Amino acid sequence: MSATNVAAPIDVEAATRTLFEAQRDRREIEPFTDTSTFDEKTAYAIQKKLVTKQVEQEATRIVGLKLGLTSEAKQKQMSVHEPIYGILLDSRYVGEGEPLAVSTLIHPKVEPEIAVFTSAPLRGPGVTPDQARKAIAFATPAMEVIDSRYKDFRFTLTDVIADNTSAARFAIASRRVPAANVDLRTVGVVFEKNGEVVSTAAGAAILGDPANAVAWLANKLAEHGESIAAGTTIMAGALTDAIAIAPGDVITVTVAQLGSLTLRCV
Ligand code: OOG
Ligand code: MG
């Protein structure tokens, strides 16, 4: 056997502090897995500690959940081939019409999403897509601004989970559309930057059906003894690749039957 560098187990407290400070100070860091090893459970534990610290120190609160890497486009773009989830904080919400100050972030990218709102609790394991579909009361066009704290957005599955799945800002159209009469698999999605179409997709880009993503979330949360409460806002994950943004950019997502949402970057 040849000599190899055996990676050390991660220091959870130190990693939490590093991620907290990187986000606060807009400083990029190297991925932890370059030098240490940790499993998915530990990664979600770091994410939770990080968000708890942000809630305490920034006087904000948790307002929802987000899914990531639920589309083939995103999995390919990031070279991570499994969905992940993260937590949405009130202080990261960009209201409709509010400008996004790009300079408050490290290297932001924006991606087109669909947000859903539940009206019934979902507790895994064993939540089916049909149960998830019935729990989705409303849907709206949405956009997520991701800002990995890792240099060049280079990370492994556990790194990105620990970093609260690159969550930075999120925008959700204020008009909620009842989902009962909308087939979220077949709605067309058009993503535009400065009036040019950047990419297109259908709702089915999200694990075949956004309801599948919500079921996945409920079942994944169950692994950590958690569940989705009724009345939860969930970002279902990007439908196409994320794109870099700069001051002056105007980004629009249009989802058939749900409407559109514009984000102005300053
Ligand atoms: C990870 C977060 C992915 C999505 O919607 O797929 C995500 C990243 O790409 O940095 O939020
Ligand atoms: Mg996203």
Side-chain angles (χ1 to χ4, degrees):
M1 234 165 59
S2 63
T4 50
N5 285 329
V6 178
I10 197 162
D11 178 336
V12 168
E13 296 300 332
T16 304
R17 207 165 43 242
T18 300
L19 285 165
F20 178 85
E21 289 171 2
Q23 191 169 147
R24 184 194 61 194
D25 304 339
R26 278 168 243 150
R27 195 164 36 77
E28 46 187 31
I29 57 175
E30 299 297 334
F32 297 113
T33 52
D34 278 0
T35 49
S36 55
T37 53
F38 55 113
D39 62 11
E40 192 187 296
K41 200 161 174 254
T42 306
Y44 278 111
I46 295 170
Q47 177 191 109
K48 197 168 198 176
K49 275 179 184 288
L50 169 66
V51 171
T52 302
K53 195 173 166 76
Q54 289 170 327
V55 166
E56 282 167 11
Q57 305 223 351
E58 301 171 19
T60 184
R61 64 194 176 92
I62 293 170
V63 290
L65 295 166
K66 61 157 282 192
L67 284 146
L69 310 180
T70 46
S71 67
E72 209 181 312
K74 280 292 304 188
Q75 293 189 357
K76 279 204 181 118
Q77 186 180 32
M78 308 321 293
S79 301
V80 175
H81 300 279
E82 268 179 74
I84 51 179
Y85 73 81
I87 298 164
L88 299 176
L89 290 172
D90 192 36
S91 53
R92 272 65 167 174
Y93 173 67
V94 182
E96 209 169 341
E98 241 178 76
L100 172 79
V102 171
S103 64
T104 60
L105 299 166
I106 305 166
H107 44 203
K109 294 184 189 179
V110 64
E111 51 193 23
E113 304 216 7
I114 293 172
V116 299
F117 307 85
T118 62
S119 59
L122 290 170
R123 180 179 292 279
V127 170
T128 64
D130 199 47
Q131 286 169 329
R133 195 172 302 111
K134 288 189 176 116
I136 298 172
F138 301 97
T140 72
M143 272 182 265
E144 185 178 30
V145 179
I146 51 171
D147 193 34
S148 176
R149 269 52 69 169
Y150 303 113
K151 192 165 180 280
D152 302 327
F153 275 79
R154 182 178 66 86
F155 46 67
T156 65
L157 176 73
T158 51
D159 290 315
V160 68
I161 291 169
D163 185 26
N164 196 19
T165 66
S166 309
R169 301 283 186 276
F170 64 102
I172 295 177
S174 48
R175 192 174 70 97
R176 295 181 179 195
V177 178
N181 300 320
V182 180
D183 184 344
L184 291 176
R185 296 171 306 171
T186 57
V187 290
V189 178
V190 180
F191 192 42
E192 289 168 87
K193 176 177 170 176
N194 304 329
E196 303 282 343
V197 174
V198 176
S199 56
T200 58
I206 301 171
L207 295 179
D209 184 343
N212 292 341
V214 172
W216 179 89
L217 176 62
N219 294 326
K220 183 51 91 173
L221 284 168
E223 291 177 19
H224 310 136
E226 292 170 27
S227 63
I228 304 174
T232 300
T233 300
I234 303 168
M235 302 274 290
L239 294 123
T240 71
D241 289 5
I243 56 166
I245 42 175
D249 285 341
V250 178
I251 315 291
T252 298
V253 59
T254 303
V255 184
Q257 298 180 69
L258 302 185
S260 59
L261 172 68
T262 292
L263 185 65
R264 208 162 38 80
C265 303
V266 294

